[in-house]
Amino acid sequence: NLGLAKARGEILVLLNNDAVLGPTWLEELIGGLDRTPWAAMAASKLVLYDRPDTLHSAGDYYGLDGVPNSRGVWQADTGRYDTEEEVFGPTAAAAAYRRSMLADMACSGGTEPKGRVLDPQLWMYAEDVDLNLRARLRGYRTVYVPTARVLHRLSATGGGTLASYYVGRNLIYLLAKDLPLDFLLRHLPSILRAQVRFVMEAVRNIRGPAARARLRGILAGLLTWPRVLPTRRRVMSGKKLTASELEATIRQFSPRS
């Protein structure tokens, strides 16, 4: 957030310190925005650093069950995701954003404290999912640029119990913060099933520290989600999409077998 506040230029780029860039990555990524004036964000193709023939993300999506994921994750990079096209949102490990869009997001009040782009309440996991949801609710769109290729060392900085805890907690915060009430009520059964599945998977692996951290994170989310309600009110008051329009958008970009 401090960097984004200080940065200048029409396009700003976020890049993880565990990402290794292809030789023309930046040129290709910015070119994607140049070719698509309708897009406010550009998503890279991320592949695994130690298995560069395996995808990690070809753009992100959000499920009707409240679970985010990446297109093509863990799949072989066979060319299926080599088309420049619209996706739900980018993975912030390697993404470009129009400055005008980021300025609008900072002014829209979707963070606590106000005036930030990424929400400090989420800290370091799923904060890009939150930004994608808030941006979509305000009508912003993303182009996926397959020629902007990045090798990603997964969890080289974080990961482990840290990731397990905050992912468990923050997915619940996203439900409480970014989804219209009509959407939540309509999809409550699938949302509950997803959370129960996470709990059961963690219980089955309870001897592992990551599983125990995931359970602690889910419990923390359930006990403390009201803290994001002031932010929710601001997100909902500034949204431009209805619950039905958000659902249609989520369905549009969910993967199909």
Side-chain angles (χ1 to χ4, degrees):
N1 279 320
L2 290 173
L4 290 172
K6 295 286 186 180
R8 297 293 179 265
E10 295 182 7
I11 297 173
L12 305 183
V13 173
L14 293 180
L15 182 68
N16 273 19
N17 62 354
D18 56 8
V20 179
L21 309 180
T24 60
W25 170 74
L26 186 59
E27 177 184 355
E28 295 290 345
L29 193 63
I30 302 306
L33 285 178
D34 288 341
R35 289 187 295 274
T36 54
W38 50 264
M41 299 170 279
S44 303
K45 176 193 276 191
L46 277 69
V47 300
L48 301 183
Y49 179 83
D50 55 348
R51 286 183 287 155
D53 59 346
T54 301
L55 289 163
H56 183 234
S57 177
D60 281 6
Y61 65 92
Y62 192 79
L64 294 173
D65 59 357
V67 180
N69 212 330
S70 297
R71 295 197 316 159
V73 65
W74 317 132
Q75 297 177 21
D77 186 11
T78 59
R80 178 180 179 184
Y81 297 104
D82 281 352
T83 301
E84 186 170 291
E85 59 189 334
E86 186 175 1
V87 294
F88 187 81
T91 299
Y97 304 83
R98 296 194 192 277
R99 181 180 182 81
S100 57
M101 170 263 182
L102 294 179
D104 180 53
M105 298 311 299
C107 292
S108 65
T111 66
E112 183 60 45
K114 297 178 183 178
R116 309 297 197 271
V117 173
L118 301 170
D119 193 347
Q121 294 176 114
L122 301 175
W123 192 41
M124 70 181 293
Y125 287 98
E127 79 288 351
D128 55 348
V129 181
D130 170 66
L131 179 60
N132 289 342
L133 282 167
R134 289 189 287 123
R136 275 287 172 181
L137 284 169
R138 291 197 48 88
Y140 291 110
R141 299 162 65 187
T142 298
V143 61
Y144 164 65
V145 187
T147 51
R149 192 169 181 270
V150 172
L151 301 172
H152 191 200
R153 292 178 184 265
L154 292 185
S155 300
T157 301
T161 56
L162 185 74
S164 295
Y165 175 85
Y166 282 105
V167 169
R169 189 197 71 167
N170 290 353
L171 292 192
I172 292 174
Y173 279 9
L174 294 182
L175 296 171
K177 178 174 183 280
D178 294 328
L179 298 182
L181 182 59
D182 288 352
F183 182 101
L184 283 170
L185 294 176
R186 192 176 304 144
H187 297 286
L188 187 60
S190 61
I191 291 171
L192 291 175
R193 282 195 299 270
Q195 291 299 319
V196 168
R197 184 176 72 250
F198 292 144
V199 169
M200 296 306 296
E201 289 173 354
V203 168
R204 283 195 297 270
N205 297 281
I206 195 65
R207 293 185 179 182
R212 295 195 297 272
R214 185 65 179 262
L215 284 174
R216 290 195 301 272
I218 292 172
L219 180 61
L222 292 172
L223 292 176
T224 64
W225 65 266
R227 70 174 55 169
V228 304
L229 288 180
T231 323
R232 173 187 175 80
R233 285 192 286 271
R234 297 195 292 269
V235 171
M236 293 301 110
S237 66
K239 66 182 177 65
K240 296 181 180 180
L241 266 63
T242 66
S244 296
E245 289 169 335
L246 177 63
E247 177 174 340
T249 301
I250 288 174
R251 288 187 184 277
Q252 177 183 354
F253 297 111
S254 293
R256 294 171 176 81
S257 58

